[in-house]
Amino acid sequence: MLILKEHHLLKSSAIQGDMDTVMTSVSYDSRKVQPNGLFFCKGENFRTIYLTMAKDKGAITYVAEQPYPEGKGMNAFIVRNVQKAMALLAAAYYNYPQDELFIIAYTGTKGKTTSAYFTKAILDEMNGGKTALFSTIDRVVGPKPDQRFKSDLTTPESLDLFHDMRTAVNNGMTHLVMEVSSQAYLKSRVFGLTYDVGFFLNITPDHIGPNEHPNFANYLHCKLQLLVNSRVCVINAETDHFPEVYAAATTTTDPDSIFLFASASYQEPHNIPIDFRMESHEADLFESRFTFTPVTPKAIAFAVHGDYQLKLVGDYNEANATAAIIGSLLAGADTYETQTGLRNVTIPGRMESALAPGHGAVYVDYAHNYGSMHALLSFLIRQYKRPRIIVVLGAPGDKGVSRRADFARVLNQYASDVFLTTDDPGFEDPADIAAEINRGIDHEQVRVKIELDRPKAIHDAILDSQPGDIVVVAGKGADPYQKVRGVDTPYPTDMAIVHQVIAELPAAKGETK
Ligand SMILES: CC(=O)N[C@H]1[C@@H](OP(=O)(O)OP(=O)(O)OC[C@H]2O[C@@H](n3ccc(=O)[nH]c3=O)[C@H](O)[C@@H]2O)O[C@H](CO)[C@@H](O)[C@@H]1O[C@H](C)C(=O)N[C@@H](C)C(=O)N[C@H](CCC(=O)O)C(=O)O
Ligand SMILES: Nc1ncnc2c1ncn2[C@@H]1O[C@H](COP(=O)(O)OP(=O)(O)OP(=O)(O)O)[C@@H](O)[C@H]1O
């Protein structure tokens, strides 16, 4: 009650009896309530029947934004914002696990997962595998294989977040690398949480629409909150909206604790010194190389610098690796640990590649908005000296509708051919989504084939390619499902299909990588 009062969240309370039994379990899902539980009534789809169910299962207290007759006989805390209340109470219930972890947090439209994986790899090198990870793909709460599980959200609901942090601490983890989505701030999942190091990687319009952000200003505002809540801030100086981003960092952080990074050739237009620079060197199909150089005295003081190799190609992945080096050096890593940690990292669905004998090189990549498609295709065009680029892609249903026009725009810029196909159509007809993308395509520039069967689209694209061509299978990364009418329908993954197609090629002699 005190916590809610202190944060001006409490509107009223009704205490029925003994408060000592109040917090023996906490839940926002009536199906998981336990005896003597505290139940949060939250969410747009909340139904009062859930409170009845919770009470029947033994919940004795509820927290909600309004009193409910169904809660009669229970303790009631009526709050101004149930999501904020839940985050604060979750931190307290799990006894502030954040104080026992060094937390590095990433936000950005693109690169969060990649940077988080890179950072975990370096920190594991430094601390002997004691790095927890909360990412879009996986959540790692301990060193054992059964302490790693698939994520459903990029940033979990606050109760789950603090629960998993506590589990990580109990399992001996000392560091946590986490992705923080803009939704996490919109939904107050991380309300009250402070990070040791917070990163702002980049921002391009995305996640705007029904069920997400009402407009770009709100999307940016939510992302900036990560810097406001970080003790040390690190910013990619090349991000759009840099002045607003830097200003957000300075609201709570002294400029001495704000670090900027940029590529070697970037001319800083704002007269704020760049602390770290990265310089790209030659890359091949399967490896890229860059140099990391501290520039300002406060950066040089960490004595981490040198040449780095990555298995993940793409100049943007060098930027992600640079972020990871900075996060890790701030956590105490040295040059050797940063170099060794990064050396062999691969990430499911990010720049996975294979050579199709007698045909082109195939890349499977999670690029699924304008910014990432632009970064990916422009890199491949530069790297391969303007090859023919064949893209397989669809767009999801029920969300991110603006991506359809964006995909057409980026295809017009870089692709020779596109196979429009299915990608998480949800409750929409994938044929309508493909038609919508197709409407934006300049048919003078780009040949379009519509093949809604995704495995067949991948097959046809690979067979259509010639040696020297590049086939890009975009959008799903390593997703093992297609979201169709509310059901995650199993799907073998794009890379599995690619390997299968290659294995069946007459010329295939197992030369895949
Ligand atoms: C918009 C959003 O953040 N939605 C999330 C949110 O939903 P909500 O609070 O509105 O809850 P709800 O789904 O309306 O359900 C109402 C409540 O009834 C409860 N319930 C339900 C059934 C029942 O029998 N009993 C019961 O008590 C549920 O547990 C829930 O608490 O809380 C739910 C968990 O309680 C999440 O599953 C859900 O994520 C949805 C599925 C989602 O897809 N969110 C996406 C947009 C998202 O957050 N993505 C970002 C990445 C995108 C980015 O980069 O910005 C992410 O962090 O993953
Ligand atoms: N720094 C970057 N700038 C632009 N594009 C990037 C960058 N890093 C990765 N990408 C592209 O975006 C895709 C997704 O990368 P990643 O999963 O690291 O980002 P994310 O921020 O976690 O994305 P999401 O929020 O969609 O889960 C990659 O497959 C790649 O195509």
Side-chain angles (χ1 to χ4, degrees):
M1 179 140 68
L2 210 60
I3 295 169
L4 297 176
K5 269 191 181 159
E6 269 173 13
H7 288 84
H8 307 287
L9 285 170
L10 193 65
K11 282 207 286 198
S12 67
S13 59
I15 306 301
Q16 305 298 331
D18 180 10
M19 281 300 290
D20 287 345
T21 49
V22 164
M23 295 259 274
T24 55
S25 76
V26 288
S27 179
Y28 57 82
D29 186 336
S30 58
R31 292 161 291 193
K32 297 182 182 157
V33 167
Q34 294 185 5
N36 292 335
L38 181 147
F39 180 65
F40 292 94
C41 305
K42 67 103 188 155
E44 276 151 35
N45 301 316
F46 174 75
R47 302 282 171 270
T48 51
I49 180 83
Y50 302 154
L51 180 55
T52 307
M53 281 164 63
K55 190 174 159 187
D56 290 347
K57 285 191 146 196
I60 54 169
T61 302
Y62 74 95
V63 180
E65 289 177 6
Q66 63 179 82
Y68 292 109
E70 289 79 359
K72 194 160 179 276
M74 299 171 77
N75 301 311
F77 292 100
I78 308 308
V79 295
R80 295 196 163 79
N81 183 316
V82 67
Q83 295 277 1
K84 287 183 180 173
M86 188 161 84
L88 294 173
L89 295 178
Y93 181 75
Y94 291 108
N95 201 14
Y96 303 101
Q98 66 270 39
D99 296 344
E100 297 169 62
L101 292 163
F102 187 97
I103 303 183
I104 299 179
Y106 283 100
T107 202
T109 304
K110 287 294 147 213
K112 298 182 293 297
T113 303
T114 310
S115 304
Y117 266 68
F118 280 152
T119 311
K120 174 173 163 52
I122 301 173
L123 295 181
D124 277 346
E125 196 65 36
M126 178 184 88
N127 64 22
K130 293 184 182 153
T131 314
L133 173 72
F134 296 174
S135 84
T136 307
I137 305 178
D138 282 332
R139 238 174 289 163
V140 179
V141 296
K144 299 185 187 149
D146 65 348
Q147 291 164 339
R148 171 186 282 261
F149 47 91
K150 291 276 157 229
S151 301
D152 47 359
L153 295 170
T154 299
T155 311
E157 195 57 86
S158 56
L159 270 190
D160 305 319
L161 176 79
F162 288 101
H163 169 274
D164 287 354
M165 272 191 207
R166 172 50 62 198
T167 307
V169 171
N170 291 347
N171 289 335
M173 306 310 251
T174 53
H175 293 73
L176 165 66
V177 184
M178 62 182 286
E179 297 182 41
V180 183
S181 64
S182 50
Q183 280 294 316
Y185 275 107
L186 189 66
K187 294 276 176 174
S188 302
R189 292 178 198 154
V190 286
F191 183 72
L193 178 61
T194 304
Y195 318 100
D196 292 286
V197 184
F199 276 86
F200 193 101
L201 298 175
N202 50 55
I203 186 152
T204 48
D206 201 6
H207 296 297
I208 296 159
N211 307 325
E212 295 189 276
H213 297 279
N215 50 45
F216 180 77
N218 179 262
Y219 178 53
L220 175 61
H221 171 79
C222 287
K223 282 218 173 297
L224 294 179
Q225 299 316 302
L226 179 127
L227 296 177
V228 175
N229 289 287
S230 296
R231 295 186 188 98
V232 175
C233 297
V234 187
I235 302 168
N236 178 355
E238 296 181 61
T239 182
D240 288 353
H241 296 272
F242 176 79
E244 291 104 301
V245 175
Y246 190 78
T250 56
T251 53
T252 48
T253 304
D254 186 283
D256 280 350
S257 296
I258 301 175
F259 293 86
L260 306 186
F261 70 93
S263 47
S265 57
Y266 182 67
Q267 302 282 323
E268 215 299 300
H270 305 289
N271 277 333
I272 307 172
I274 305 291
D275 298 291
F276 299 96
R277 296 275 187 179
M278 72 219 159
E279 186 169 13
S280 258
H281 301 305
E282 80 289 3
D284 59 29
L285 239 184
F286 302 114
E287 196 165 89
S288 72
R289 286 171 275 281
F290 69 101
T291 304
F292 172 81
T293 312
V295 182
T296 56
K298 73 182 192 207
I300 292 169
F302 289 96
V304 172
H305 55 86
D307 295 328
Y308 290 80
Q309 278 168 272
L310 298 176
K311 282 221 165 113
L312 227 57
V313 296
D315 42 9
Y316 46 89
N317 284 324
E318 294 173 2
N320 297 332
T322 297
I325 298 169
I326 299 168
S328 305
L329 67 82
L330 288 166
D334 62 22
T335 302
Y336 175 81
E337 287 154 350
T338 56
Q339 287 169 329
T340 318
L342 286 174
R343 183 70 190 82
N344 289 312
V345 180
T346 55
I347 305 172
R350 273 56 174 184
M351 279 315 234
E352 291 191 90
S353 57
L355 271 176
H359 297 273
V362 188
Y363 282 95
V364 167
D365 190 79
Y366 190 49
H368 58 261
N369 71 349
Y370 179 82
S372 52
M373 283 296 288
H374 183 273
L376 170 65
L377 298 184
S378 64
F379 165 74
L380 292 171
I381 289 272
R382 277 194 310 276
Q383 185 66 28
Y384 290 98
K385 316 261 182 300
R386 308 204 67 79
R388 175 176 169 234
I389 291 203
I390 304 165
V391 180
V392 179
L393 116 168
D398 313 326
K399 67 171 190 179
V401 174
S402 61
R403 288 184 195 165
R404 300 170 196 180
D406 288 345
F407 285 155
R409 199 152 53 95
V410 79
L411 290 166
N412 291 341
Q413 271 174 288
Y414 298 113
S416 315
D417 298 74
V418 58
F419 288 76
L420 293 176
T421 190
T422 303
D423 182 348
D424 291 345
F427 288 90
E428 291 191 58
D429 182 344
D432 293 344
I433 299 174
E436 214 173 317
I437 302 173
N438 196 16
R439 274 200 287 283
I441 290 180
D442 174 355
H443 296 95
E444 304 271 303
Q445 305 278 336
V446 187
R447 272 199 312 156
V448 178
K449 293 194 185 107
I450 297 187
E451 175 49 72
L452 298 178
D453 178 345
R454 192 170 177 102
K456 180 152 188 340
I458 294 171
H459 170 273
D460 292 356
I462 293 176
L463 262 75
D464 193 39
S465 68
Q466 303 293 320
D469 293 349
I470 303 284
V471 178
V472 175
V473 183
K476 286 199 79 59
D479 286 354
Y481 52 75
Q482 286 274 16
K483 287 179 185 287
V484 185
R485 283 184 288 282
V487 177
D488 284 358
T489 315
Y491 171 73
T493 76
D494 283 346
M495 205 59 206
I497 307 275
V498 168
H499 284 309
Q500 194 183 321
V501 172
I502 290 177
E504 286 162 10
L505 289 173
K509 295 280 184 282
E511 294 142 57
T512 61
K513 182 160 178 185

